[in-house]
Amino acid sequence: MRFICKYMTTLFFILIIALLAECVKEIKPTMNIEEKVFGKTADGIPANLYILTNSNGMEVKITNYGGIVVSISVPDKNGKFYDVVLGYDTLEEYTRDNPYFGCIVGRYANRIAKGAFMLNGVEYTLAQNNNDNHLHGGIKGFDKVVWNAEIVRRDEEVGVKLTYLSVDGEEGYPGNLNVTVIYTLTDSDELKIDYMATTDRDTVVNLTNHSYFNLAGAGLGDVLGHEMMINADRFTPINANLIPTGELRSVEGTPLDFTRPETIGSRIDADDEQIKFGGGYDHNWVLNKSGEELSLAARVSDPATGRCMMVYTTEPGIQFYSGNFLDGSSRGKKGSVYHKRYAFCLETQHFPDSPNKPEFPSVVLKPAETYKQTTIYRFSVK
Ligand code: BGC
C-alpha cells in the first residue's frame, strides 16, 4: 500500500511538471506585428510605428518615415534584452537633425563626386550636400519621405512592405523610380531587408540601410572593443574628400585588414593615410564573392555581452563607418548622448561614386530591368 501511495505521488508530481511545461510553452511569445501612430511630419503627414516580435522575444521597431529601423532588441549571453541601434524616441526628433540613424538611403547611397554624373551623354547635377559632394540621395532623400506601408505575415515571419515613387527629376535623378523595401523579422533572429526598384528611364540606383549598431547596447559606450570580421581581401581607397580613387587595393598589411577578427579600436588611430582621410574607418570593402549570391559579408561580436551579428548580402560592397562624425551634440533615446565611435554602420551597397567610375560594377538601371538586393542582419550570442 505504502509503495502504491509513493508511486501515485511521484506520478502526480510528474504530471504537474508536464502541465507547467506546457503552460510555459503557451506563454512563449509568438510572431507578432503591431501598428501604432508614431506622429506627424512638419507637413502634417502621419507616420506609423510597426513593432515586430518573434517567438524568441526579439523585437524590431520600424517607422515608415524614412523606412527607419527605430530599435532592435536582442538578448545578451545572460538572456538580458537591450536595444542595439542608435536613434530617437520620437518622430519629431527623427525629422529634425538625424545623421541617417536607421534609415533607407537612396536614390544613391554614399557619395557622388562633385554632385554630378554623365548618363547616355547627358550630365545630371545633384545637390552638393556634403562639402562639394552629393551624399545619401541629396537634400530630401529616401530617408526623409513617408513611405506607403503594408503589413506582411508569412509562416515564421512578420514584416512591413514599404513602397515609394520617386518621381522623374526628384533630387536631380532621371526617371520615375518605383521602390519597394520589405523588412522581415524571422524566427531565426534575422532582420531581412529585400529591396526592389523599377524605372521608366535609364537611371542610377544604390540603396542601403544606415543603422548605427552597438552590440553592447545603444548609448552605453563606444564600440572600440567589438570584434569585426569583414569578408573582403580588397577595399576602394579614398582621397581626402572620401571619394574612391578607382583603385581596388589589397587590405593586406593595412589597418583595413579584417579578414581575421580584429577589434575595431586596435588600429583606428593608426598612422595611415587611409585612416586619416576617413577619420577612422569610413571605407567601402570589396566583398569576396563570385557574383550576386547572398553571402557572408561581415561578422561582429561584443566580447563583454556575447552579442554577435552576421551580415549577409547580395551586394558587391560594404561601407564600414565607425561613427567618426558622432560628436555627442544630439541626445538620443532615453536622453543618452552618442559620442564619437559609439556605433558602427555596415552599409551593404555598390561602390561609392560608381556613376563616375566605369570600372566599378554598374549602378545603371534600365526600364526593362529590376533592381534587387537582399541583406540579412542575423543576431546570436556567443
Ligand atoms: C558615410 C559617412 C557619413 C555617414 C553619415 C556614411 O555612410 O560613409 O562618411 O558621415 O554615412 O552621413
Side-chain angles (χ1 to χ4, degrees):
M1 186 63 190
R2 189 182 278 178
F3 172 75
I4 292 179
C5 234
K6 215 170 160 191
Y7 177 74
M8 292 297 279
T9 318
T10 317
L11 207 69
F12 176 73
F13 277 114
I14 291 175
L15 217 79
I16 294 284
I17 289 166
L19 268 172
L20 279 174
E22 261 321 290
C23 287
V24 169
K25 236 198 253 166
E26 284 289 303
I27 55 173
K28 204 179 159 209
T30 50
M31 305 266 356
N32 194 32
I33 181 159
E34 204 188 318
E35 184 185 45
K36 279 187 177 171
V37 171
F38 197 32
K40 276 187 184 164
T41 64
D43 310 328
I45 306 170
N48 287 335
L49 192 64
Y50 296 87
I51 305 161
L52 290 67
T53 42
N54 73 8
S55 58
N56 307 316
M58 177 173 166
E59 183 202 74
V60 178
K61 290 184 185 165
I62 291 162
T63 173
N64 57 328
Y65 173 78
I68 293 172
V69 175
V70 172
S71 72
I72 300 180
S73 173
V74 285
D76 67 6
K77 60 187 174 195
N78 301 316
K80 194 171 165 230
F81 282 79
Y82 207 91
D83 184 5
V84 294
V85 287
L86 273 52
Y88 301 110
D89 292 319
T90 63
L91 176 68
E92 206 245 317
E93 289 163 292
Y94 278 107
T95 61
R96 256 193 268 142
D97 194 19
N98 176 15
Y100 301 94
F101 287 153
C103 62
I104 295 165
V105 185
R107 202 177 284 201
Y108 198 91
N110 212 284
R111 293 176 175 80
I112 297 179
K114 308 250 190 286
F117 68 95
M118 296 284 290
L119 183 62
N120 303 332
V122 178
E123 187 182 43
Y124 292 92
T125 52
L126 313 165
Q128 296 180 346
N129 56 329
N130 182 251
N131 301 321
D132 57 355
N133 299 320
H134 179 79
L135 178 71
H136 293 334
I139 309 289
K140 191 175 179 186
F142 295 177
D143 57 299
K144 294 181 188 70
V145 300
V146 178
W147 296 61
N148 294 318
E150 202 184 296
I151 286 175
V152 184
R153 286 174 212 265
R154 283 190 224 106
D155 289 352
E156 314 272 296
E157 288 183 354
V158 281
V160 193
K161 179 178 172 183
L162 302 174
T163 51
Y164 176 66
L165 169 66
S166 170
V167 296
D168 187 18
E170 187 177 285
E171 287 296 324
Y173 294 99
N176 288 299
L177 190 76
N178 261 301
V179 194
T180 300
V181 176
I182 307 174
Y183 281 110
T184 308
L185 174 65
T186 74
D187 233 359
S188 317
D189 294 343
E190 298 167 332
L191 176 63
K192 182 164 68 149
I193 316 176
D194 291 299
Y195 304 77
M196 272 149 287
T198 52
T199 183
D200 58 1
R201 271 177 72 193
D202 288 9
T203 190
V204 294
V205 189
N206 184 31
L207 307 178
T208 196
N209 175 272
H210 208 297
S211 287
Y212 283 68
F213 297 97
N214 184 327
L215 299 179
L220 297 185
D222 64 48
V223 293
L224 300 178
H226 283 44
E227 284 174 6
M228 168 80 68
M229 186 286 295
I230 303 179
N231 184 17
D233 294 337
R234 293 173 300 168
F235 72 109
T236 52
I238 48 175
N239 64 22
N241 293 322
L242 283 83
I243 296 293
T245 60
E247 186 195 346
L248 306 185
R249 189 181 291 171
S250 169
V251 294
E252 210 184 324
T254 78
L256 286 89
D257 188 352
F258 285 99
T259 49
R260 262 168 276 168
E262 285 283 348
T263 59
I264 292 178
S266 61
R267 301 159 299 173
I268 202 165
D269 293 316
D271 186 13
D272 174 274
E273 189 183 55
Q274 284 300 310
I275 290 285
K276 285 190 180 139
F277 285 162
Y281 295 107
D282 196 354
H283 300 79
N284 169 68
W285 273 254
V286 180
L287 294 171
N288 295 335
K289 63 200 301 175
S290 51
E292 290 171 10
E293 75 278 13
L294 185 70
S295 61
L296 179 68
R299 187 177 55 234
V300 199
S301 58
D302 171 42
T305 60
R307 288 196 189 92
C308 188
M309 183 177 84
M310 316 266 259
V311 185
Y312 298 86
T313 190
T314 54
E315 287 297 280
I318 195 165
Q319 184 86 9
F320 164 34
Y321 166 58
S322 51
N324 313 313
F325 295 114
L326 292 173
D327 58 5
S329 60
S330 61
R331 284 199 179 263
K333 289 178 225 177
K334 298 191 187 111
S336 50
V337 181
Y338 301 140
H339 296 283
K340 187 171 176 176
R341 298 178 181 155
Y342 260 40
F344 64 91
C345 300
L346 285 171
E347 303 150 59
T348 55
Q349 60 179 12
H350 269 59
F351 307 166
D353 200 32
S354 293
N356 293 310
K357 299 276 184 315
E359 64 274 35
F360 285 175
S362 173
V363 288
V364 175
L365 182 72
K366 294 177 183 294
E369 303 166 343
T370 302
Y371 166 92
K372 277 190 185 156
Q373 90 122 303
T374 297
T375 293
I376 295 175
Y377 296 99
R378 179 184 295 160
F379 295 88
S380 57
V381 277
K382 264 217 241 187

